[in-house]
Amino acid sequence: MTTALPTRAASPRLASLPALSATADIPAPLADAARALAPARAASASGPPARALSGRRPRRRLGPGRRLPYGMAIGPALLLAGWVVASATGALDARVLSAPWTVVATARDLIADGRLLSNLLTSAQRAFLGLALGVGLGTVLALLSGLTRVGEALVDGPVQIKRAIPTLALIPLLILWFGIGEQMKVLTIALGVVIPVYVHTHAALRTIDARYVELAETVRLSRWQFVRKVALPGALPGFLMGVRLAVTGAWLALVVVEQINATSGIGHMMSLARSYGQTEIILLGLVVYGLFGLASDSAVRLIERKTLSWRRILAG
């Protein structure tokens, strides 16, 4: 069902737009919404706000509202509280899932003898090396493919093929090529990181407004100036979204590679604990992975808010 709109806008701001055709067809819900907003537009154009004159309550906002203090910690805190209550009341058998205080005591013992810190540093080094390699490679490939047709023809097809192949399925091949040392582990993490960075950065580059490209050509920007002043700022939102997904992918890949003939790392510690049935150490490893993943994602989101503070978006 379609409805015809009036041919003239109700507010001075909209009056500068071209008049709509009397026979322009639009969806009925949009027409109803426009009809409902027409009195408010007319009132704002002619005088004081209607709310001030009628004394009505202000209209409820449709956005998510103001940011909650420490909002990121509320969900994990509730999850921890549920774990504590279930363990304290006996609803959760300690043989199935150790109590939180048991995990804390185990963490204290492992910190005291230095095992936890040593394995933690090894895992963090692997994750960040793979993340840096994957983000750098994904960004370069996205720029080559997104800014040139030749680059797209050479790069996009192989990357899309890799995207369809799970990274973990490549581990046997990587072991044959590079052995079971650190090189294989870092490359596995990098391969899990490169795809989200490439996909989101490439999509952001290809959706840059063509008018900016025409303007850059008009003012005779060089290729490097165009990349630095137009392409990179335009692709930044997509790049940061890709980095957020890449951070999660790095920790997921790390969990797997550290349980393949590793001699150190959080995953190696968890594998040994599985052999001896020490669920508290397994839970401690999972908590460490989760905290690292949450902290990494929060850091990228903070960078995103600071870097893209000029945008007016729903998230605020």
Side-chain angles (χ1 to χ4, degrees), residues 70-93:
Y70 307 104
M72 287 291 294
I74 294 177
L78 291 176
L79 183 62
L80 178 60
W83 184 15
V84 170
V85 171
S87 298
T89 58
L92 192 60
D93 191 347

Side-chain angles (χ1 to χ4, degrees), residues 247-272:
V247 166
T248 304
W251 290 108
L252 291 176
L254 180 68
V255 173
V256 177
V257 298
E258 285 195 333
Q259 298 187 37
I260 301 177
N261 294 323
T263 58
S264 60
I266 299 298
H268 169 66
M269 185 179 70
M270 293 171 63
S271 296
L272 291 179

Side-chain angles (χ1 to χ4, degrees), residues 135-192:
V135 169
L137 181 60
T139 304
V140 171
L141 292 178
L143 290 173
L144 290 175
S145 179
L147 297 177
T148 64
R149 294 297 181 183
V150 174
E152 182 181 29
L154 296 175
V155 172
D156 192 62
V159 172
Q160 297 302 330
I161 293 174
K162 166 59 190 71
R163 183 185 176 191
I165 300 174
T167 300
L168 302 183
L170 298 175
I171 289 180
L173 192 59
L174 293 175
I175 291 177
L176 290 176
W177 288 348
F178 304 104
I180 58 174
E182 292 298 311
Q183 191 175 14
M184 181 276 294
K185 295 177 177 60
V186 172
L187 285 176
T188 302
I189 296 170
L191 288 175

Side-chain angles (χ1 to χ4, degrees), residues 49-135:
R51 177 171 54 85
L53 295 177
S54 62
R56 295 178 181 175
R57 295 178 60 184
R59 185 176 57 187
R60 182 169 61 88
R61 299 185 64 177
L62 301 179
R66 299 178 61 182
R67 190 180 301 276
L68 296 176
Y70 307 104
M72 287 291 294
I74 294 177
L78 291 176
L79 183 62
L80 178 60
W83 184 15
V84 170
V85 171
S87 298
T89 58
L92 192 60
D93 191 347
R95 292 172 297 180
V96 176
L97 195 66
S98 299
W101 45 86
T102 304
V103 176
V104 172
T106 302
R108 185 171 57 247
D109 295 339
L110 292 177
I111 291 173
D113 62 19
R115 282 189 293 167
L116 181 59
L117 182 59
S118 175
N119 289 319
L120 187 60
L121 291 177
T122 302
S123 296
Q125 181 180 7
R126 289 169 180 159
F128 288 120
L129 282 176
L131 183 65
L133 180 61
V135 169

